[in-house]
Amino acid sequence: MAPQKRSKRPTLLSHSRPRIVKSKDAALSAKATRTLIRSHHRLLKVRAQALAAGDEARVSSIDAQIEANGGLESYQIASKLGQSMDRGGDSSKVLIDWIKPQLKQWNNTIPKLRVLEVGALSTKNACSTNLALDVTRIDLNSQEPGILKQDFMERPLPSNDDERFNMISLSLVLNYVADATGRGEMLKRCVKFLTSRCPIELVPSLFLVLPIACVDNSRYLNEERLGEIMACLGFCLTQSKRTSKLVFHLWEHTGTYAPKNFKKEELRSGKTRNNFAVILNKK
């Protein structure tokens, strides 16, 4: 009798990030901010490849490079600056604009809508300051009080609707996950944290923000493939917006959760393409 295969535990976000190092300087120009973020993502990608290959020496070398750049904290400072009001970067403003008609139904005699913000950087963004929303903020490296230090992939699964949310925000989070399978597991996990029980007429939703290159210049992912992946998880795209650097999506969970297998297959060719991908496993 052949031995049974053990199911792999979803990759933790904390396993894809190097240890935290204190940064020396938070004063970054817009250009320096973009450079630091791009460099950090590139190093994380190479680190994940070295980790998968069991090349500990290479992992240590890359960790040293990341530390030299200021580590995770410098990356978060750069991300926070990129989302600062003076640079017009608070992505949650887009979400609030999209759900503003539904939020008009709310008043202070009914419960607030529960929102889970994964990868939260601030307690003062548009989402957090809206009176109709009760926001739970989590991140691997909490930047301020009000943000729980937690890995979303380790957050205990809800045991009842009181522990679920009306909305989940993944703003520039999915692209931080180092491997394609981990990204698929994160999307599947989101469904388990959504509830259809809501004090107003609002469909449970996922707010997803990605660098536009992830869908426009990837060998393995485009808008159509992302839509196919989301559809089998029960999501329907209801809002979309593009800027020169980002793509914003609002996915309502209205369908049946029936994951399918989506492998890493080439959808576009070309030497200038990036390798961003989402692998989805049926089980």
Side-chain angles (χ1 to χ4, degrees):
M1 182 177 177
Q4 290 185 341
K5 291 184 178 180
R6 291 184 179 180
S7 59
K8 285 188 176 181
R9 187 181 179 189
T11 302
L12 303 181
L13 284 176
S14 54
H15 288 183
S16 65
R17 290 187 177 185
R19 66 187 182 88
I20 297 164
V21 182
K22 295 290 183 181
S23 65
K24 297 178 180 178
D25 188 5
L28 296 171
S29 67
K31 182 178 180 180
T33 296
R34 292 193 297 270
T35 300
L36 192 153
I37 290 173
R38 282 197 296 265
S39 173
H40 195 74
H41 280 279
R42 179 182 59 79
L43 288 171
L44 281 182
K45 174 185 171 183
V46 177
R47 184 182 189 273
Q49 293 170 346
L51 198 61
D55 189 344
E56 294 297 332
R58 180 66 171 149
V59 170
S60 297
S61 173
I62 295 167
D63 282 348
Q65 293 180 61
I66 292 172
E67 289 184 20
N69 288 344
L72 176 57
E73 186 163 316
S74 282
Y75 168 82
Q76 288 187 308
I77 289 171
S79 297
K80 199 169 183 178
L81 284 171
Q83 293 190 31
S84 63
M85 295 297 289
D86 60 334
R87 295 186 187 175
D90 179 8
S91 62
S92 73
K93 291 193 295 184
V94 176
L95 172 60
I96 296 301
D97 285 344
W98 281 344
I99 64 173
K100 193 175 293 182
Q102 291 93 325
L103 293 182
K104 288 180 179 179
Q105 304 170 44
W106 183 85
N107 62 69
N108 58 13
T109 66
I110 59 178
K112 294 184 177 184
L113 280 68
R114 289 169 49 79
V115 178
L116 176 62
E117 185 179 5
V118 182
L121 295 173
S122 172
T123 59
K124 300 177 180 65
N125 60 10
C127 190
S128 294
T129 55
N130 190 285
L131 295 177
L133 304 180
D134 177 14
V135 183
T136 297
R137 309 169 198 87
I138 65 173
D139 189 64
L140 292 179
N141 180 36
S142 174
Q143 290 288 291
E144 58 183 89
I147 301 175
L148 175 66
K149 184 176 181 179
Q150 186 180 63
D151 187 331
F152 175 59
M153 302 306 289
E154 283 193 311
R155 185 179 177 89
L157 291 174
S159 58
N160 55 62
D161 259 356
D162 291 336
E163 297 174 355
R164 296 186 178 93
F165 299 87
N166 303 111
M167 305 196 76
I168 296 175
S169 171
L170 294 183
S171 179
L172 299 178
V173 172
L174 193 68
N175 55 295
Y176 201 102
V177 180
D179 64 280
T181 301
R183 295 174 196 132
E185 291 300 317
M186 175 173 279
L187 292 175
K188 288 164 64 177
R189 192 174 182 85
C190 284
V191 177
K192 299 175 182 178
F193 280 88
L194 288 172
T195 176
S196 57
R197 192 180 72 182
C198 187
I200 64 173
E201 292 183 11
L202 180 75
V203 178
S205 304
L206 171 63
F207 179 58
L208 181 65
V209 184
L210 289 169
I212 201 163
C214 290
V215 292
D216 276 8
N217 196 41
S218 169
R219 290 183 179 86
Y220 308 112
L221 189 74
N222 54 26
E223 292 261 21
E224 182 180 359
R225 174 53 55 88
L226 179 60
E228 292 170 349
I229 291 172
M230 298 299 283
C232 78
L233 299 178
F235 287 104
C236 175
L237 182 64
T238 58
Q239 296 281 2
S240 180
K241 175 182 176 179
R242 285 168 165 260
T243 66
S244 60
K245 297 181 177 65
L246 301 174
V247 58
F248 303 77
H249 285 167
L250 185 64
W251 297 91
E252 291 187 349
H253 195 258
T254 57
T256 302
Y257 176 77
K260 299 178 182 178
N261 291 323
F262 284 93
K263 299 179 180 179
K264 186 176 180 180
E265 58 179 322
E266 187 173 274
L267 304 174
R268 300 185 184 99
S269 60
K271 294 181 179 180
T272 60
R273 304 295 185 187
N274 65 65
N275 294 320
F276 185 82
V278 176
I279 293 175
L280 200 68
N281 293 317
K282 187 175 181 179
K283 294 183 178 180

